[in-house]
Amino acid sequence: MRKNIHNVLAIWLLLHFLLATDASHPRGDDYNLTTELFSKYGSTNPRPVGNSSTQVEVVISLNIARIIELNENMQTLTVSAYIKLVWYDEFLTWNTSKYSIPYINIPPSWIWRPDLHLYDNIDRNFKDFEDVDAWIFPDGMVHWVSPNILKTICVIDPSLFPFDTQRCPLKFGSWSYNEQRMNVTVRHLFIGNYFLGTGVWELEDVVSQRAVVNYGYLGFFPEITYTLVLKRLPEYYITTLIIPCIMLSILNLLTFILPTASGEKVSLGITNLLALVLFQQVISNLLPPTSHNIPIISYYFAPMIAISCFSVISGVLVAVLFHQDKAKPIPQWLRKMFKLQTSVDQSAEDHRFNVRALDGNNDSEPTGRNSNGLESLKKGNGSVYAVSHGDETPHDEYLDDSVKRGCEKGSLHVNHNDTNEWQKIANKIDNIFLAISFVATITAVAVTIVLFLTN
């Protein structure tokens, strides 16, 4: 009997403790309101309207926070953005006289959400929106602001690189609800308030556009497109690409001015060629491989590379002529082309010079003895040819030291003239190539500037 009394007393004390604990931590109005609202809410799949013919109005707004990456080679855009959705839910209303609460925060998975998606999304770990609490107001208005990382396709137009402006669309729409069941509109657009600029791109504007697309028997579906207008900041590319390329173009012309005797014309031309090809490859890696819109700057690089190749070819040709064997005669057609003295005139001049050298006085007039031919000179051990009226007859005669020196001087003079003629031809060809390259460089620069200004 006493044992039963103790058991009853213990149960009574436990119940008293539980009731006292519950009374000391009462639930607030938020809990009571949430419990009351969602006790009758039911499934989150049906649209939040009492009449099935009622259209749900959804307002979308976009705030671009940062341009994470615009991959021009892959033609993709990655941005950080805040997406705001506003709609009315008829099953989430309350009387403010009973619950004086301005709003409550509810996880979006508890309520119906608009079926809106980003078209052309290429993110492998795609997630429509982050699971951020929604704000619910007494009249049933739902505000849902969610931060997102959006990655989509952006077709690049590289024509004006690096002074280009790109337009990248972000298209949102519903996969399930047509316009009769859910209408999507844009009431206001808030951008720039939280935008953090990058060192490459500047966000000039965000243009919104609403369109209704007919998908046949599925009906008309509204689509909202936000077009991001991105302007490239060209200072980086001017200092790292444009200015070095201009300097290399000047070096192309200096290759023709460099003396052939230095032996560095070909090596300088090859170095310039490799540098230009390297810069062209750098630009190609930055831009998409497309044949529709070719960058205008390519119209500048192509002739510069051609001129660099031309400088190497001309350097080889000029070097061959410059170092030509002086004993080899110059062809008549080459003499006529460069207006050089013909070989016949040169032979006559050399002949007269040798006669004067043998006479021992280059400035004196020929004597009668010299006009009829050379008399036999028996001083010295040398031999000469006696010339009379164009006939050459070998005579073994002895020459004195003065006559020997005259003959050697005349022979050296002839060889020196032959060598100068080959070098003169090489220098003239080098000057012609310089003029052609200069005109081609100026033309390429002018055409590139005109194309930039007219596009």
Side-chain angles (χ1 to χ4, degrees):
M1 182 68 180
R2 182 178 296 178
K3 184 177 180 180
N4 293 334
I5 294 174
H6 286 295
N7 291 337
V8 172
L9 181 62
I11 293 173
W12 180 83
L13 291 174
L14 178 61
L15 292 174
H16 179 74
F17 174 77
L18 294 175
L19 292 174
T21 302
D22 184 69
S24 62
H25 298 282
R27 297 287 187 176
D29 290 342
D30 291 346
Y31 175 80
N32 297 330
L33 175 59
T34 303
T35 303
E36 181 178 339
L37 289 176
F38 287 94
S39 62
K40 300 179 181 179
Y41 193 82
S43 175
T44 59
N45 290 329
R47 294 181 303 124
V49 291
N51 189 349
S52 59
S53 61
T54 303
Q55 183 186 60
V56 178
E57 290 284 343
V58 179
V59 179
I60 183 173
S61 300
L62 183 69
N63 184 359
I64 302 299
R66 177 182 289 273
I67 306 297
I68 298 177
E69 181 187 17
L70 178 55
N71 193 325
E72 300 160 74
N73 202 336
M74 301 299 297
Q75 302 192 78
T76 60
L77 172 67
T78 305
V79 298
S80 175
Y82 300 96
I83 300 176
K84 180 180 180 181
L85 301 177
V86 179
W87 70 94
Y88 283 91
D89 194 322
E90 297 182 5
F91 305 118
L92 296 177
T93 60
W94 67 88
N95 191 350
T96 55
S97 60
K98 181 178 180 181
Y99 298 102
S100 57
I101 301 174
Y103 62 87
I104 58 175
N105 297 101
I106 299 298
S109 58
W110 292 14
I111 61 176
W112 178 88
R113 291 174 296 175
D115 178 36
L116 287 178
H117 303 273
L118 174 65
Y119 293 170
D120 298 329
N121 193 301
I122 58 174
D123 191 359
R124 293 183 178 180
N125 300 320
F126 172 67
K127 193 174 183 179
D128 281 344
F129 302 109
E130 295 293 335
D131 195 12
V132 180
D133 287 353
W135 294 36
I136 301 177
F137 295 87
D139 58 351
M141 179 182 291
V142 181
H143 283 230
W144 187 24
V145 181
S146 174
N148 296 271
I149 303 296
L150 306 176
K151 188 174 183 180
T152 185
I153 297 175
C154 179
V155 179
I156 302 297
D157 182 7
S159 300
L160 298 178
F161 175 86
F163 308 98
D164 54 333
T165 299
Q166 303 298 332
R167 303 177 67 88
C168 301
L170 297 175
K171 185 181 293 185
F172 296 91
S174 174
W175 289 104
S176 304
Y177 300 111
N178 56 25
E179 189 179 19
Q180 294 180 351
R181 306 183 66 189
M182 186 182 72
N183 186 31
V184 184
T185 58
V186 180
R187 289 185 181 175
H188 63 280
L189 180 68
F190 56 106
I191 64 170
N193 297 331
Y194 306 99
F195 179 74
L196 299 176
T198 62
V200 180
W201 297 97
E202 178 184 1
L203 182 63
E204 283 195 333
D205 194 10
V206 178
V207 181
S208 61
Q209 183 181 5
R210 181 181 182 274
V212 179
V213 182
N214 184 6
Y215 287 95
Y217 69 93
L218 297 177
F220 293 87
F221 285 76
E223 296 178 354
I224 304 298
T225 303
Y226 292 97
T227 303
L228 279 61
V229 182
L230 302 174
K231 182 179 180 181
R232 190 193 303 271
L233 301 177
E235 287 79 8
Y236 171 77
Y237 299 98
I238 290 176
T239 56
T240 58
L241 292 178
I242 303 300
I243 294 179
C245 292
I246 294 175
M247 300 304 295
L248 290 175
S249 301
I250 297 175
L251 289 179
N252 272 343
L253 300 179
L254 294 180
T255 305
F256 299 96
I257 302 176
L258 185 66
T260 307
S262 65
E264 299 293 335
K265 292 176 71 71
V266 176
S267 60
L268 178 59
I270 293 176
T271 303
N272 292 339
L273 175 61
L274 294 177
L276 286 171
V277 172
L278 175 63
F279 276 102
Q280 186 187 41
Q281 187 65 32
V282 170
I283 295 178
S284 299
N285 293 335
L286 293 175
L287 302 178
T290 176
S291 300
H292 298 289
N293 298 313
I294 300 177
I296 294 177
I297 196 171
S298 299
Y299 295 102
Y300 173 78
F301 270 100
M304 290 303 103
I305 293 177
I307 292 174
S308 184
C309 295
F310 184 65
S311 68
V312 176
I313 297 173
S314 66
V316 173
L317 178 60
V318 170
V320 169
L321 293 176
F322 188 86
H323 298 287
Q324 187 64 259
D325 185 6
K326 56 186 177 182
K328 183 178 181 180
I330 300 175
Q332 293 298 325
W333 65 270
L334 197 58
R335 288 180 176 275
K336 293 180 181 179
M337 179 182 298
F338 294 99
K339 299 181 180 179
L340 296 177
Q341 193 176 21
T342 61
S343 59
V344 176
D345 296 337
Q346 182 67 26
S347 300
E349 182 180 354
D350 296 340
H351 171 68
R352 289 193 298 270
F353 182 83
N354 290 331
V355 170
R356 289 195 300 270
L358 292 174
D359 186 58
N361 186 5
N362 293 336
D363 297 330
S364 63
E365 294 293 330
T367 62
R369 179 172 58 87
N370 289 332
S371 62
N372 294 327
L374 293 176
E375 299 292 341
S376 299
L377 300 175
K378 297 183 179 180
K379 292 183 180 180
N381 296 323
S383 63
V384 298
Y385 288 96
V387 182
S388 176
H389 303 288
D391 296 332
E392 296 183 358
T393 305
H395 294 277
D396 294 331
E397 303 292 346
Y398 295 98
L399 302 178
D400 58 5
D401 293 338
S402 62
V403 176
K404 283 183 178 181
R405 288 193 296 270
C407 293
E408 292 174 356
K409 181 179 178 182
S411 177
L412 293 175
H413 182 73
V414 171
N415 293 336
H416 181 66
N417 285 342
D418 291 342
T419 304
N420 282 343
E421 285 187 343
W422 282 110
Q423 293 179 358
K424 191 180 299 183
I425 292 175
N427 292 333
K428 286 186 177 182
I429 292 177
D430 214 6
N431 293 334
I432 293 173
F433 288 160
L434 173 61
I436 295 174
S437 300
F438 181 77
V439 172
T441 301
I442 297 300
T443 303
V445 173
V447 170
T448 302
I449 294 176
V450 171
L451 290 175
F452 269 111
L453 295 177
T454 55
N455 283 275

